[in-house]
């Protein structure tokens, strides 16, 4: 206890207690209910960060600190913490597994160097496992896999490894094999050290090491040989010794695994049971041994916002400060809390920094190392740190912070657009006064949450990624912020588009005795490729419209596209070309051309045979085979397109595409049809044309409003 206290004090006061090579920034990622938070809780216990094991089912997990998380037994918001293992500092972010909160995973992976992918030994690679794997690929995050729940009935280590290889297209490298399975699971066979690690039922006791049983020696020899061969295929140092028939020392094998893991050439595989605390210590050893430090990551690419030149931010305390704000939280006690990943340099509390994204200077407040919702104040943060700060009033998610003398701008983060909307209204005048501020705070925290007022109906609409996402946000509005609200029926975020090219004129002329207003444009409206968004092109020739008025036309066009002519939904997938017009040397103004552009769009859209587009969701369902027929029938009644049915053990995976408007209530129906045994994940796929009969209903109801 004394040693721990001394280490904590040193860590707080000294600028570089841990060398950069001894820092690991990792995320725990997986499908919902694979055991991410349980694994994190055991890591915190074994590293001495907590003295008592938190349990997800009992609502005592440290990392699931929100009331909504503890009630549901799921992770909703990514929580950060720090622990120490074998003279290394491990910064951990425990991420959600539900598809509605995929943005939390996205922004976490953006700032992490490595990841631990948790997989259920019974279910194998599930739908959201594939989604987070793709996200990790996007940011080139090095990974190791931990096959969890090896003590459950139906656990299949080898089947899960095969699924990782097949579905995730990963070059798997088993480092451990299970010793027993299901109720007889005892431990893991270490292929590198050639020994069996047997875990005690009491997580406080150290695991026992022993010789490999005779009946396992043949399979261990085969897997060890396959491991060496795979390393030799990808690493020249191992290849040389392998071809010469030399004995390869374990230290060199581990060094090769580390090199290839960091390069994303292989994915080491481990196994255990996090709930029983089995396999956690070897997993911690693997995090330290194989996942990258900030020094192992290539210098982070950025640009100089002043001249557009390239900058590479080296992981060094001596370089100027560069950091990325990856999360903003409205803390009820601290106010606006901003999470930072520091890529280079150092920063002290209360220092002045430049927000290169917005071109404004900001002052940091206090700096904190976070442990879920608990804070430890520090005086200075250095390279490789993940910290939080207060005082940044203008910084949002994805903003770049840097030294005033060296502006750097990192690539911004992209988030999916919300696909589900609901009307929300306060219960009283007092709540009305508070609601706008609360919605603004939630929108700052969550880039996939939007709130806006419908100018026609006067309703306040909140939009999110799904029913659970909005349900949680509404609960937070009521419980956390004390604003009582009523929620209306979910509204789907439909879009409109045009189907034929047209030409349209917009003429705005006003004369009132003095200087008048004159704006005149001709636009060509053309259908764009699906999901292409909006494109504005200037094809003005011979000065028909002065250049200074052309941006105003674009603004007017963009504003007009926010409310379509069919049902008032935004118009997308359209190309607008400004090709002609006229101006008056005295009366023309930016306002006049803005209004003229808006008028031309409204005139043209009505003639361009507009149609409605609806969001289509990609759904994946895992169900026992006996319920397959009933679930297929329900999906057909919802207008789903079945993409494929894949057998898996005694169950089936159903892959399909479903209109979002037809998915409401599906969760309860699925549970009813499968006796609660089927699970599903859903994510936005794309917008598609709505069937004419349904489109007429939507248009009719919009006109009634």
């Amino acid at each position: 206890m004394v040693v721990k206290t001394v280490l904590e004090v040193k860590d707080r006061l000294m600028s570089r207690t841990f060398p950069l090579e001894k820092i690991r920034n990792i995320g725990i990622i997986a499908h919902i209910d694979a055991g991410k938070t349980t694994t994190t809780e055991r890591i915190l216990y074994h590293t001495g960060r907590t003295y008592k094991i938190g349990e997800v089912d009992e609502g005592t997990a440290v990392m699931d600190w929100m009331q909504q998380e503890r009630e549901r037994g799921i992770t909703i918001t990514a929580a950060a913490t720090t622990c120490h293992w074998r003279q290394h500092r491990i910064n951990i972010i425990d991420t959600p597994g539900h598809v509605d909160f995929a943005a939390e995973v996205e922004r976490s992976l953006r700032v992490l160097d490595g990841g631990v992918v948790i997989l259920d030994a019974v279910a194998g690679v599930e739908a959201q496992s594939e989604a987070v794997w793709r996200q990790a690929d996007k940011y080139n995050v090095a990974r190791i896999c931990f096959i969890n729940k090896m003590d459950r009935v139906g656990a299949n280590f080898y089947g899960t490894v095969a699924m990782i290889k097949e579905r995730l297209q990963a070059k798997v490298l088993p480092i451990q094999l299970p010793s027993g399975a299901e109720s007889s699971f005892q431990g893991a066979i270490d292929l590198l050290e050639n020994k069996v690690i047997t875990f005690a039922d009491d997580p406080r006791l150290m695991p026992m090491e022993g010789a490999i049983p005779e009946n396992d020696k043949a399979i261990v020899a085969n897997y060890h040989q396959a491991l060496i061969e795979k390393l030799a295929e990808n690493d020249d140092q191992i290849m040389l010794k392998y071809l010469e028939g030399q004995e390869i020392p374990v230290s060199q094998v581990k060094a090769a695994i580390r090199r290839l893991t960091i390069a994303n050439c292989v994915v080491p595989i481990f196994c255990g049971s996090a709930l029983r605390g089995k396999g956690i210590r070897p997993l911690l050893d693997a995090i330290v041994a194989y996942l990258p430090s900030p020094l192992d990551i290539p210098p982070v690419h950025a640009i100089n916002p002043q001249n557009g030149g390239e900058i590479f931010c080296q992981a060094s305390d001596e370089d100027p400060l560069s950091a990325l704000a990856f999360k903003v939280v409205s803390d009820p006690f601290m106010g606006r809390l901003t999470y930072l990943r520091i890529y280079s340099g150092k920063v002290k509390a209360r220092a002045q920094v430049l927000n290169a994204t917005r071109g404004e200077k900001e002052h940091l407040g206090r700096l904190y190392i976070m442990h879920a919702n608990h804070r430890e104040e520090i005086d200075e943060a250095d390279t490789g740190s993940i910290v939080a700060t207060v005082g940044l009033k203008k910084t949002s998610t994805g903003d770049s912070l840097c030294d005033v003398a060296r502006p750097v701008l990192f690539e911004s983060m992209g988030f999916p657009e919300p696909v589900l909307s609901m009307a929300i209204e306060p219960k009283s005048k007092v709540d009305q006064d508070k609601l706008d501020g609360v919605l603004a705070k939630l929108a700052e925290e969550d880039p996939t949450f939007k709130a806006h007022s419908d100018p026609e109906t006067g309703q306040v609409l909140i939009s999110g990624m799904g029913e659970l996402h909005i349900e949680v946000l509404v609960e937070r509005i009521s419980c956390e912020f004390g604003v009582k609200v009523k929620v209306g029926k979910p509204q789907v975020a439909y879009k409109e588009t045009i189907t034929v090219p047209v030409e349209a004129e917009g003429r705005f002329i006003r004369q009132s005795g003095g200087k008048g207003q004159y704006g005149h444009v001709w636009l060509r409206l053309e259908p764009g490729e699906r999901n292409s968004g909006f494109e504005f092109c200037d094809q003005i020739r011979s000065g028909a419209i002065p250049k200074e008025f052309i941006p105003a036309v674009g603004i007017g066009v963009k504003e007009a596209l926010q409310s379509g002519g069919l049902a008032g939904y935004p118009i997308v997938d359209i190309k607008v070309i400004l090709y002609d017009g006229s101006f008056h040397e005295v009366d023309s103004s930016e306002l006049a051309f803005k209004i003229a552009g808006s008028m031309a769009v409204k005139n043209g859209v009505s003639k361009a045979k507009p149609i409605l587009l609806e969001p289509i969701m990609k759904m994946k369902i895992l169900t026992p085979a006996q319920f397959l027929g009933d679930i297929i029938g329900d999906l057909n009644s919802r207008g789903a397109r079945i993409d494929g049915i894949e057998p898996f053990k005694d169950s089936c995976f159903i892959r399909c595409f479903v209109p979002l408007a037809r998915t409401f209530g599906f969760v309860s129906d699925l549970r009813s049809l499968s006796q609660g045994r089927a699970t599903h994940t859903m994510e936005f796929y794309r917008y598609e044309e709505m069937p004419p009969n349904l489109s007429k209903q939507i248009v009719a109801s919009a006109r009634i409003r």
Side-chain angles (χ1 to χ4, degrees):
M1 184 62 72
V2 173
V3 173
K4 178 184 172 185
T5 305
V6 170
L7 280 175
E8 289 179 345
V9 171
K10 285 176 67 182
D11 197 13
R12 192 178 299 115
L13 299 179
M14 294 180 63
S15 60
R16 179 55 73 190
T17 304
F18 288 87
L20 271 170
E21 63 270 17
K22 291 185 177 293
I23 291 178
R24 303 289 182 269
N25 290 315
I26 67 164
I28 309 294
I29 56 178
H31 184 89
I32 188 171
D33 202 33
K36 296 180 303 301
T37 302
T38 300
T39 302
T40 307
E41 293 293 327
R42 270 54 180 180
I43 286 175
L44 295 179
Y45 177 77
H46 282 286
T47 56
R49 193 66 176 80
T50 57
Y51 68 91
K52 183 181 178 182
I53 297 177
E55 299 292 352
V56 173
D57 294 340
E58 297 174 7
T60 59
V62 173
M63 303 304 286
D64 284 350
W65 57 272
M66 292 176 62
Q67 177 185 339
Q68 292 79 13
E69 293 176 315
R70 293 185 169 181
E71 287 175 353
R72 292 172 174 80
I74 63 170
T75 300
I76 291 171
T77 182
T81 188
T82 297
C83 59
H84 305 110
W85 184 254
R86 303 199 189 284
Q87 290 78 51
H88 286 69
R89 177 196 287 170
I90 305 175
N91 298 320
I92 301 174
I93 297 181
D94 177 31
T95 64
H98 196 285
V99 66
D100 281 14
F101 309 103
E104 289 286 319
V105 185
E106 181 84 14
R107 59 184 172 189
S108 298
L109 288 174
R110 172 69 173 81
V111 298
L112 294 171
D113 304 328
V116 178
V117 182
I118 311 296
L119 296 163
D120 187 326
V122 179
V125 176
E126 300 171 90
Q128 193 60 14
S129 302
E130 295 183 43
V132 297
W133 194 273
R134 290 195 301 271
Q135 287 174 300
D137 282 340
K138 176 180 175 182
Y139 295 114
N140 202 31
V141 175
R143 277 146 279 174
I144 60 177
C145 287
F146 181 71
I147 299 178
N148 190 26
K149 304 185 181 181
M150 282 300 304
D151 55 345
R152 282 188 58 195
V153 174
N156 186 342
F157 174 85
Y158 301 99
T160 303
V161 170
M163 290 178 73
I164 297 170
K165 185 176 180 180
E166 178 184 348
R167 292 191 180 171
L168 304 180
Q169 300 297 303
K171 294 183 179 179
V172 296
L173 190 73
I175 307 297
Q176 294 178 343
L177 301 180
S179 177
E182 300 182 342
S183 59
S184 63
F185 177 70
Q186 296 177 333
I189 300 172
D190 190 322
L191 295 176
L192 303 184
E193 303 285 353
N194 201 34
K195 63 185 180 184
V196 174
I197 305 170
T198 304
F199 305 108
D201 292 331
D202 187 341
R204 293 173 296 181
L205 299 178
M206 293 290 290
M208 303 289 291
E209 298 181 358
I212 297 173
E214 285 295 327
N215 56 347
D216 287 331
K217 284 187 175 179
I219 189 171
V220 169
N222 289 336
Y223 269 87
H224 182 270
Q225 180 67 17
L227 183 151
I228 297 298
E229 289 176 357
K230 187 164 291 186
L231 293 179
E233 289 173 9
N234 295 277
D235 190 271
D236 292 340
Q237 295 181 33
I238 299 296
M239 170 68 82
L240 187 60
K241 287 184 177 292
Y242 178 74
L243 293 177
E244 293 175 352
Q246 298 181 29
E247 185 71 25
I248 306 173
V250 173
S251 60
Q252 290 190 17
V253 173
K254 289 184 176 181
I257 295 173
R258 176 175 178 79
R259 287 193 296 272
L260 295 176
T261 302
I262 291 171
N264 267 316
C265 294
V266 298
V267 180
I269 309 290
F270 300 85
C271 63
S273 170
L275 184 64
R276 310 296 174 201
K278 297 181 177 182
I280 300 301
R281 289 176 178 273
L283 178 62
L284 280 164
D285 290 339
I287 290 170
V288 167
Y290 305 128
L291 290 181
S293 73
L295 289 176
D296 297 312
I297 302 300
V300 183
H301 177 264
I303 63 171
N304 185 331
Q306 296 175 343
N307 56 27
E310 285 189 325
I311 298 175
F312 292 93
C313 300
Q314 300 279 351
S316 168
D317 291 339
E318 308 307 317
D319 272 26
L321 172 70
S322 65
L324 183 72
F326 67 95
K327 182 173 179 175
V328 176
V329 175
S330 295
D331 189 283
F333 303 105
M334 303 296 297
R336 200 169 186 270
L337 202 62
T338 306
Y339 285 73
L340 307 174
R341 162 68 195 267
I342 299 177
Y343 287 107
S344 67
K346 297 181 181 180
V347 65
K348 292 186 176 182
R350 300 173 182 82
Q352 185 184 68
V353 296
L354 174 67
N355 184 326
T357 305
R358 305 186 184 278
E360 297 188 20
K361 295 177 183 178
E362 291 246 58
H363 279 88
L364 299 174
R366 296 176 178 176
L367 292 172
Y368 300 98
I369 291 177
M370 299 301 294
H371 180 49
N373 62 330
H374 299 290
R375 299 164 293 275
E376 295 178 11
E377 188 173 351
I378 56 174
D379 297 324
E380 184 179 60
D382 44 35
T383 300
S385 298
I386 293 177
V387 296
T389 184
V390 293
L392 297 177
K393 297 178 181 179
K394 300 176 183 177
T395 299
S396 300
T397 299
D399 285 1
S400 303
L401 301 178
C402 56
D403 192 300
V404 176
R406 189 190 72 166
V408 296
L409 189 62
F410 294 117
E411 180 184 357
S412 61
M413 290 183 272
F415 297 101
E417 286 294 316
V419 294
L420 178 66
S421 298
M422 299 178 77
I424 186 172
E425 60 181 73
K427 289 186 176 180
S428 68
K429 182 67 172 66
V430 175
D431 293 324
Q432 172 71 60
D433 296 338
K434 296 179 183 177
L435 184 59
D436 289 345
V438 170
L439 294 179
K441 286 181 180 179
L442 291 175
E444 276 188 345
E445 284 188 26
D446 187 348
T448 59
F449 170 72
K450 308 286 184 188
H452 70 279
S453 297
D454 188 323
E456 295 183 5
T457 65
Q459 283 185 314
V460 176
L461 300 179
I462 56 174
S463 306
M465 300 307 297
E467 289 180 274
L468 179 61
H469 187 202
I470 291 182
E471 179 187 318
V472 167
L473 289 168
V474 170
E475 278 190 26
R476 289 189 62 197
I477 291 171
S478 177
C479 300
E480 190 176 320
F481 296 97
V483 178
K484 304 301 179 184
V485 293
K486 294 184 290 186
V487 179
K489 185 180 178 182
Q491 297 185 9
V492 177
Y494 295 110
K495 307 282 187 187
E496 298 182 19
T497 193
I498 61 172
T499 55
V500 297
V502 296
E503 294 182 349
E505 181 184 23
R507 184 190 295 268
F508 180 69
I509 302 174
R510 292 288 184 273
Q511 193 67 43
S512 56
K515 181 182 176 182
Q517 297 283 358
Y518 186 98
H520 176 220
V521 299
W522 276 97
L523 302 179
R524 187 179 301 115
L525 278 58
E526 298 178 354
E529 295 291 330
R530 190 64 69 239
N531 299 309
S532 61
F534 159 61
E535 183 182 357
F536 178 72
C537 296
D538 168 23
Q539 292 186 2
I540 290 293
R541 298 290 181 270
S542 303
I545 298 175
K547 289 185 178 180
E548 62 265 26
F549 296 139
I550 290 174
V553 178
I555 293 171
V557 167
K558 193 171 184 180
E559 288 183 358
L561 293 176
Q562 293 306 306
S563 55
L566 265 183
Y569 294 105
I571 301 172
V572 296
D573 302 340
I574 184 171
K575 184 176 182 180
V576 179
I577 302 167
L578 172 63
Y579 69 92
D580 201 3
S582 63
F583 72 101
H584 189 282
E585 295 203 4
V586 176
D587 291 347
S588 287
S589 66
E590 290 186 357
L591 176 62
F593 275 99
K594 176 182 173 183
I595 295 173
S598 178
M599 293 171 66
V601 168
K602 290 178 180 178
N603 294 336
V605 166
S606 61
K607 299 183 293 183
K609 297 184 180 179
I611 58 171
L612 275 181
L613 302 175
E614 63 178 339
I616 303 297
M617 308 304 288
K618 183 179 181 180
M619 187 180 289
K620 186 173 181 180
I621 303 163
L622 176 62
T623 175
Q626 65 200 83
F627 306 117
L628 180 63
D630 291 338
I631 292 175
I632 292 291
D634 183 80
L635 290 171
N636 288 334
S637 72
R638 296 174 185 273
R641 299 197 312 271
I642 308 299
D643 185 50
I645 300 173
E646 178 184 344
F648 171 63
K649 300 180 182 177
D650 57 349
S651 301
C652 294
F653 278 111
I654 306 170
R655 300 175 189 269
C656 60
F657 301 97
V658 193
L660 175 65
R662 311 292 293 277
T663 63
F664 300 139
F666 178 72
V667 175
S668 56
D669 288 349
L670 182 65
R671 288 172 182 163
S672 176
L673 291 171
S674 65
Q675 300 174 10
R677 295 174 61 191
T679 60
H680 86 294
T681 58
M682 185 171 66
E683 62 181 310
F684 173 71
Y685 175 54
R686 67 182 183 187
Y687 275 90
E688 293 183 358
E689 181 178 351
M690 181 180 287
N693 59 325
L694 296 177
S695 178
K696 288 178 182 177
Q697 295 177 18
I698 299 297
V699 172
S701 63
R703 287 174 179 167
I704 292 173
R705 294 202 309 265

